[in-house]
Amino acid sequence: MATISFSFLNSLSPHRIIKKNDASSWGLVVKDLAKINTSTSVGVIRTTFLKPKMMLNKLETYPYTVPGLGLGGVLKDEFVFQQKFHIRSYEVGPDKKITAETLMSLLQETALNHLKTIGVWVDGLGLTREMCNKKLIWVAAKQEVVVDRYPIWGDVIQINTWKGAYGKIGMCSNWAFYDDKTGDILLRASSILVMMNEETRRLSKFPDEVRGELNRHFTYTTPPTVKEETRKWSTRDRSTEDHIRTGLTPTWSDLDMNQHVNNMKYAGWIIESVPRSIVKNYELASMTLEYSRECRMGDVLQSRTYVMGIDTCKLADYDHVDCEHVIQLESTSDEIMKAWTTWRSKKGNRLE
Amino acid sequence: MATISFSFLNSLSPHRIIKKNDASSWGLVVKDLAKINTSTSVGVIRTTFLKPKMMLNKLETYPYTVPGLGLGGVLKDEFVFQQKFHIRSYEVGPDKKITAETLMSLLQETALNHLKTIGVWVDGLGLTREMCNKKLIWVAAKQEVVVDRYPIWGDVIQINTWKGAYGKIGMCSNWAFYDDKTGDILLRASSILVMMNEETRRLSKFPDEVRGELNRHFTYTTPPTVKEETRKWSTRDRSTEDHIRTGLTPTWSDLDMNQHVNNMKYAGWIIESVPRSIVKNYELASMTLEYSRECRMGDVLQSRTYVMGIDTCKLADYDHVDCEHVIQLESTSDEIMKAWTTWRSKKGNRLE
């Protein structure tokens, strides 16, 4: 075993320029054989490091450390949870801005970390002790998001989130995203979460015992982040829509820790049926999502978009575009969710 | 405008327990109206904060700050780039471990941040000045990953990555993931990247000018992370496979900044055709991915898995399972990629 050769590229048939004799120089020729020990197993041939712990010295000073980046914490007012995020390359889309899915994921992440930090979380996705006792889980009923400016890869953003009671039936979560460098607000969002019995799959009232666990963490004085979207579902003939994306199916990796399709997927599915001319020329300025029923592994979905009152052939004439959307089961047309979105032109026109 | 009411839930027809009169208590009743100013626009009704910058005091001390979390940097040896990551809730799957897609994403993120940090990056996804001049882009040819232990949500991991030349045709990237708390190694990976002409879509040799830009950042002395997977594609009759997932389609959010389907999607698609009994009872111990051709928006794909030499009805009898996989175009059966995976039983048996 003079060298560890990587002579596999001969199997890479479409890449004919790769010759087998190139393979000895992966840039990985091992000069100090004492450092490694190769063990072979059935199916997995691996190189084991003799030094099992970190083989490289720790970096003493990070040239690009961001102060305060971490798991987040609750502010002095005891109600607002704050966490910073560094936007990663795979969280941005082809336009280099964070995707709608990432945006929804960050809402989830901070809401959950908030519950974790205040210590009411016992199990699952944000379940309190009393929720576990009563077999209740959180279900998103409605989400509203307004984006002023999208962060891009490499940006550091600060997210503040706080919660309140939603009447007698649930909880409202609020968020504000800020540019960590300038302090400018980037995004505001609000969600309503209600409770469902995990076994019967029926919605439940918010029991006093659960309210008792959460109440002291609810704030009633912090301003709301997003005002209600007052538009109602249009009365247009829905059989006439021409923007449909069929055959959408949740994958294994779309499931969350509750074995449910992650909420963040829905935002992506909505965009799937938006005409490409809109996705390319406009950016999503706001969305309102209303969840109707659960989506499960094995469901085949359709995403339908109704572009409101414009001629999509004359996009240059519009500063913004409004759309209605439905995600439904392909087999029965049962509605999984509906949504409204507003898109603003990328030409620099901002809705005011 | 006495309060900002959120009276929209009456439209939430499937949630009949939500009454309209609940809506005045989103937990968001604004007591200090001086703080807000509601402006109405076409399509977007929003609440504007009079104080445009961050409305809340910054957290002075983060109770859960992780030292060294940030954008990463190059170690003193000048070859190894190191970055820490805090695993987020949406990066883990139903088994609470990071998904194969997240794993692949972190490989990409650190490889790109490495190029960014050493200053050879000019544009796109890791393109140097000479690559831009010659209209060359990076293309992954092969990736190998061996997972010893999966990080879970909330874990902080340290990723080290370093690069070397791959013969005359490309670059090899290597990674090691460590548990930041214990220093234990979690994962090792290696990739071969070759160059493609962006216009002709043909593979290209590694030009001397590009080599000149990168060479001083290549290391030839650091041990390899993963030894070659020597198995060859089996000769079994491929018409007999019974694990097929049809109708896989890239979505808009699967595209990267180059408008190509992100590599990380492939790992997810492979798992889609692995029998659920394997996905549930085993964890992915290693994978070898060989990329054959580009996948583009609009392609409809099939994922096929061949479980090697075991009876899937008797899973309890096996410590590990080997699989072969193909991702191909549904229309022409043209191969997009092939792969080998090894799965180890979740009962605690570890392959040695």
Side-chain angles (χ1 to χ4, degrees):
Chain A
M1 198 187 70
T3 59
I4 294 181
S5 68
F6 289 77
S7 56
F8 47 70
L9 275 196
N10 56 331
S11 61
L12 247 177
S13 54
H15 299 286
R16 286 290 177 211
I17 65 162
I18 302 177
K19 303 292 193 320
K20 191 173 178 180
N21 57 5
D22 287 325
S24 61
S25 51
W26 250 83
L28 290 173
V29 179
V30 177
K31 293 190 176 166
D32 184 357
L33 289 176
K35 284 187 183 166
I36 58 156
N37 166 29
T38 303
S39 65
T40 305
S41 67
V42 183
V44 181
I45 298 170
R46 59 171 68 169
T47 303
T48 310
F49 296 100
L50 285 183
K51 191 177 168 189
K53 302 290 178 182
M54 289 192 203
M55 69 175 178
L56 295 155
N57 294 330
K58 285 195 181 181
L59 191 62
E60 286 175 14
T61 55
Y62 277 82
Y64 300 102
T65 293
V66 178
L69 213 58
L71 317 188
V74 175
L75 294 180
K76 284 181 180 170
D77 72 352
E78 297 182 5
F79 295 118
V80 176
F81 175 82
Q82 185 175 93
Q83 187 173 6
K84 288 185 187 183
F85 292 89
H86 172 216
I87 303 300
R88 302 171 185 170
S89 61
Y90 55 88
E91 294 175 326
V92 305
D95 57 0
K96 302 184 183 176
K97 296 168 181 170
I98 69 164
T99 61
E101 292 187 20
T102 301
L103 186 163
M104 301 299 283
S105 301
L106 290 171
L107 299 183
Q108 176 189 293
E109 174 73 3
T110 46
L112 292 177
N113 285 344
H114 187 186
L115 287 173
K116 216 181 208 180
T117 303
I118 60 181
V120 296
W121 180 331
V122 176
D123 196 15
L125 279 174
L127 307 186
T128 67
R129 184 170 307 279
E130 287 295 339
M131 287 177 76
C132 291
N133 290 346
K134 295 177 192 306
K135 300 191 188 312
L136 296 173
I137 57 172
W138 292 113
V139 182
K142 180 156 182 167
Q143 287 187 294
E144 301 209 64
V145 181
V146 176
V147 185
D148 289 358
R149 175 159 62 83
Y150 280 88
I152 60 170
W153 178 28
D155 278 356
V156 177
I157 62 171
Q158 179 187 306
I159 302 180
N160 288 353
T161 182
W162 59 100
K163 299 184 199 303
Y166 180 73
K168 292 178 180 170
I169 57 157
M171 180 167 78
C172 166
S173 286
N174 302 281
W175 295 265
F177 288 23
Y178 301 92
D179 182 321
D180 190 55
K181 205 182 286 177
T182 64
D184 289 340
I185 196 154
L186 300 173
L187 179 151
R188 288 157 287 146
S190 292
S191 283
I192 298 168
L193 293 150
V194 292
M195 289 187 193
M196 179 187 270
N197 184 294
E198 194 174 7
E199 288 172 357
T200 65
R201 314 312 283 179
R202 291 172 67 97
L203 294 176
S204 158
K205 285 200 174 180
F206 202 125
D208 288 342
E209 294 85 348
V210 181
R211 176 71 59 109
E213 292 173 297
L214 292 169
N215 214 27
R216 70 191 178 88
H217 305 290
F218 286 166
T219 174
Y220 297 89
T221 56
T222 312
T225 42
V226 185
K227 191 172 178 295
E228 176 194 353
E229 174 54 74
T230 53
R231 280 183 303 178
K232 296 293 172 204
W233 194 251
S234 70
T235 53
R236 63 180 280 180
D237 175 8
R238 288 183 202 164
S239 64
T240 64
E241 81 284 344
D242 47 5
H243 308 292
I244 306 179
R245 172 70 147 83
T246 57
L248 293 167
T249 49
T251 65
W252 180 253
S253 64
D254 296 335
L255 299 186
D256 63 22
M257 289 176 270
N258 275 345
Q259 313 269 332
H260 297 145
V261 174
N262 205 311
N263 279 357
M264 69 188 194
K265 285 305 293 180
Y266 296 95
W269 285 334
I270 286 170
I271 293 169
E272 274 306 291
S273 62
V274 176
R276 284 288 169 265
S277 56
I278 293 179
V279 174
K280 286 184 178 168
N281 294 295
Y282 292 79
E283 69 176 14
L284 193 59
S286 72
M287 58 181 160
T288 302
L289 312 178
E290 287 188 6
Y291 301 93
S292 308
R293 66 162 61 209
E294 293 178 277
C295 170
R296 291 163 181 256
M297 201 65 198
D299 286 343
V300 182
L301 308 172
Q302 258 183 19
S303 170
R304 291 170 168 245
T305 288
Y306 318 93
V307 182
M308 309 293 284
I310 70 159
D311 178 354
T312 49
C313 299
K314 294 181 181 173
L315 275 183
D317 298 343
Y318 304 96
D319 289 341
H320 77 279
V321 175
D322 285 322
C323 298
E324 289 181 352
H325 314 267
V326 184
I327 310 274
Q328 61 188 39
L329 289 178
E330 201 143 284
S331 54
T332 61
S333 298
D334 282 347
E335 186 181 295
I336 299 285
M337 74 173 306
K338 60 185 174 192
W340 292 265
T341 56
T342 303
W343 300 73
R344 70 180 149 237
S345 170
K346 285 183 179 173
K347 287 181 187 164
N349 295 312
R350 297 254 161 179
L351 292 176
E352 290 302 328
Chain B
M1 198 186 72
T3 60
I4 294 182
S5 69
F6 290 78
S7 56
F8 47 70
L9 275 195
N10 55 331
S11 61
L12 246 179
S13 53
H15 298 287
R16 286 289 177 212
I17 65 162
I18 303 176
K19 302 292 192 322
K20 191 173 179 179
N21 57 5
D22 287 326
S24 60
S25 50
W26 248 83
L28 289 174
V29 178
V30 177
K31 293 191 177 163
D32 183 358
L33 288 175
K35 283 186 183 165
I36 58 158
N37 167 29
T38 304
S39 64
T40 306
S41 66
V42 184
V44 181
I45 299 170
R46 58 174 66 172
T47 303
T48 311
F49 295 100
L50 285 183
K51 192 177 167 188
K53 303 289 178 180
M54 290 192 205
M55 70 174 178
L56 295 156
N57 294 328
K58 286 195 181 181
L59 191 62
E60 287 176 10
T61 54
Y62 276 81
Y64 300 101
T65 293
V66 179
L69 214 58
L71 317 188
V74 175
L75 294 180
K76 284 180 178 169
D77 72 354
E78 296 182 4
F79 295 117
V80 176
F81 175 82
Q82 185 175 95
Q83 187 173 7
K84 289 186 188 182
F85 292 88
H86 172 217
I87 303 300
R88 302 173 185 169
S89 61
Y90 55 89
E91 295 175 326
V92 306
D95 57 0
K96 302 185 182 177
K97 297 168 180 168
I98 69 164
T99 60
E101 292 187 20
T102 301
L103 188 162
M104 301 300 283
S105 302
L106 290 171
L107 299 182
Q108 175 189 293
E109 175 73 3
T110 46
L112 292 177
N113 285 343
H114 187 186
L115 287 173
K116 216 181 208 181
T117 303
I118 60 181
V120 297
W121 180 330
V122 176
D123 195 16
L125 278 174
L127 308 186
T128 67
R129 185 170 306 281
E130 288 294 341
M131 287 178 76
C132 291
N133 290 344
K134 296 177 192 303
K135 298 193 190 309
L136 296 172
I137 58 173
W138 291 113
V139 182
K142 181 156 181 166
Q143 288 187 294
E144 302 209 62
V145 182
V146 177
V147 185
D148 289 358
R149 175 160 62 83
Y150 281 88
I152 59 171
W153 177 30
D155 278 357
V156 177
I157 61 171
Q158 178 187 305
I159 301 179
N160 288 351
T161 182
W162 60 99
K163 299 183 198 302
Y166 181 72
K168 293 177 180 169
I169 56 156
M171 180 167 79
C172 167
S173 285
N174 302 282
W175 294 265
F177 288 23
Y178 301 93
D179 182 320
D180 190 57
K181 204 183 287 178
T182 65
D184 290 340
I185 196 155
L186 300 173
L187 177 150
R188 289 157 286 144
S190 292
S191 283
I192 298 169
L193 293 150
V194 292
M195 288 187 195
M196 179 187 270
N197 184 295
E198 195 175 6
E199 289 172 357
T200 65
R201 314 312 284 180
R202 290 173 68 97
L203 293 176
S204 157
K205 284 199 174 180
F206 201 126
D208 288 343
E209 294 85 347
V210 181
R211 176 72 59 111
E213 293 173 295
L214 292 169
N215 215 26
R216 69 190 177 88
H217 306 289
F218 286 165
T219 175
Y220 297 89
T221 56
T222 312
T225 42
V226 185
K227 190 174 178 296
E228 176 194 353
E229 173 55 75
T230 54
R231 278 182 304 177
K232 297 293 172 203
W233 194 251
S234 71
T235 53
R236 61 179 280 181
D237 175 8
R238 288 182 201 166
S239 63
T240 63
E241 80 285 342
D242 47 5
H243 308 293
I244 306 180
R245 171 69 146 84
T246 57
L248 293 167
T249 49
T251 64
W252 180 253
S253 64
D254 296 334
L255 299 185
D256 63 22
M257 288 177 272
N258 275 345
Q259 312 269 333
H260 297 144
V261 173
N262 205 310
N263 279 357
M264 70 187 192
K265 284 307 293 180
Y266 296 95
W269 286 335
I270 286 168
I271 293 169
E272 275 306 290
S273 62
V274 176
R276 284 288 169 267
S277 56
I278 293 178
V279 173
K280 287 184 178 169
N281 293 295
Y282 293 78
E283 68 176 15
L284 193 58
S286 72
M287 58 181 160
T288 302
L289 313 179
E290 287 188 7
Y291 301 93
S292 308
R293 66 162 62 208
E294 293 177 276
C295 170
R296 292 165 181 254
M297 201 63 198
D299 286 344
V300 182
L301 308 172
Q302 258 182 18
S303 170
R304 292 169 168 245
T305 288
Y306 318 94
V307 181
M308 308 293 284
I310 69 157
D311 178 354
T312 49
C313 299
K314 294 181 181 172
L315 276 181
D317 298 345
Y318 304 97
D319 289 340
H320 76 279
V321 175
D322 285 323
C323 299
E324 289 181 353
H325 315 267
V326 184
I327 309 273
Q328 61 188 39
L329 290 178
E330 202 143 282
S331 54
T332 62
S333 298
D334 283 347
E335 186 181 295
I336 299 285
M337 74 172 309
K338 60 186 173 191
W340 291 266
T341 56
T342 302
W343 300 73
R344 72 180 149 239
S345 170
K346 286 183 179 171
K347 286 181 188 163
N349 295 312
R350 295 255 161 179
L351 293 175
E352 290 301 329

